[in-house]
Structures are given as C-alpha cells and as structure tokens.
Amino acid sequence: MKQPGLTNEEIEACRTAFATFDKDFSGSIDAGELRETLKAMGQNPTDEELFLMISQVDDNGSGTIEFSEFMHLILSQKVQREHEDNESDTIDAFVALGGNPDKSGVIKTEKLSHVIKDFELLIDIDYLVAKADTDGSGLIDYDEFKELLAASVVDTSEMSLTTE
C-alpha cells in the first residue's frame, strides 16, 4: 500500500532500511535493535535518548516502532525537508531582489514589479504588490514577500491573469 507523498522507490527504500533495523524480523524495532543500529553508525545513545526517539514515533504506545510508524516518520522528514527547501528558495529570491539572507531588509515593490514584467510572468503583480504592501510604503519585508508568493500560488481565483 502506497503512503501519500512517498514514491514507490521511497517505500521500497523504507522497507530495506526498516529490515536493517529489525534484526529479529519481528516486524517492529525495539530499543535494543535501535541501539545496535545506532552504535554501528558510530553513535552511543543513552537509554533516555532511545526512549525519546521511540516515543516520538510510537503512535500506538507499544514501546516499539512498527513499519507504519517508521513510514510516518520518513514522510514527516520528507515534508520537513521540502519545507526547508521552499524556505531556502524564498530567501534566495528575496536576496536576489535586494533583501538580506537573514530575512532582514526590504525589497522595493517597483523592482519586484519590473522583474516580474521583464520575465513576462502571467500574474497580475500590481494586484499582488498592492495586497502585500499594506502600508503603501513601496517596500516589502520578508514576511510580506513570503505572503505575496503564497498568494500568487493560492489566491489565483482573486487575481486576473494577463496574456501577452
């Protein structure tokens, strides 16, 4: 059964990884198996650390990690990585338009509009800028920029598309 958000290849990789952890082929990973695997990877977790690792994914309270819980953990990590990648792309775009890598600074709405129009993107940037630049300063900080990007994806029903 395919888990949402994971490809067939990722599911097979999960099966292989799970089998590596599940030394006794019981269908679950207990603290001893987790300790053994982590030691093989050069780590030396305490009992408390092992308990914490297992409890973070042990949805049914069995004290072990079943395959479905393992898959849930992998999917959560994938979603987190994708979110971090998206955030990194947003920061890169903010910096390219004049903001700072630490999310400080501002970008000029005029520059943003000019870039969008130069690339002939089919969005109504004037509408989005007006929506993001609520104080009318002509400057957009990182949070406003992030909202503007989200609006350009999510809020398409409210904006007009142009065809040139």
Side-chain angles (χ1 to χ4, degrees):
M1 178 172 74
K2 184 175 178 183
Q3 295 288 324
L6 294 176
T7 66
N8 287 333
E9 293 80 20
E10 289 169 327
I11 292 171
E12 286 308 310
C14 287
R15 287 186 203 288
T16 301
F18 188 83
T20 301
F21 282 93
D22 185 17
K23 304 288 186 193
D24 65 0
F25 307 106
S26 65
S28 63
I29 301 166
D30 63 27
E33 292 168 320
L34 183 56
R35 178 189 309 279
E36 186 179 320
T37 302
L38 293 173
K39 279 188 176 183
M41 296 169 53
Q43 298 180 31
N44 192 21
T46 65
D47 288 342
E48 184 177 321
E49 290 169 330
L50 289 169
F51 174 79
L52 185 59
M53 286 180 213
I54 290 174
S55 67
Q56 288 175 338
V57 296
D58 183 18
D59 294 332
N60 65 4
S62 66
T64 62
I65 303 170
E66 284 79 28
F67 184 68
S68 62
E69 295 165 334
F70 185 74
M71 293 286 290
H72 181 72
L73 172 66
I74 298 301
L75 180 58
S76 296
Q77 289 177 340
K78 180 181 178 181
V79 168
Q80 179 64 31
R81 275 192 314 274
E82 288 172 354
H83 173 73
E84 289 167 2
D85 289 346
N86 288 343
E87 180 80 4
S88 177
D89 290 345
T90 302
I91 292 169
D92 289 345
F94 184 69
V95 170
L97 291 166
N100 299 322
D102 65 355
K103 302 179 193 175
S104 67
V106 293
I107 58 176
K108 294 180 180 178
T109 57
E110 181 181 312
K111 182 175 184 175
L112 177 60
S113 294
H114 191 75
V115 168
I116 295 296
K117 290 173 183 173
D118 281 351
F119 281 98
E120 298 179 357
L121 299 177
L122 302 178
I123 60 175
D124 186 349
I125 191 59
D126 296 326
Y127 167 81
L128 291 173
V129 165
K131 193 171 179 179
D133 185 22
T134 55
D135 63 1
S137 67
L139 302 172
I140 297 178
D141 65 21
Y142 179 77
D143 290 331
E144 291 170 327
F145 181 69
K146 191 173 173 179
E147 286 178 31
L148 181 142
L149 291 179
S152 71
V153 173
V154 175
D155 213 6
T156 57
S157 63
E158 290 184 30
M159 63 184 199
S160 61
L161 297 176
T162 59
T163 55
E164 295 181 35

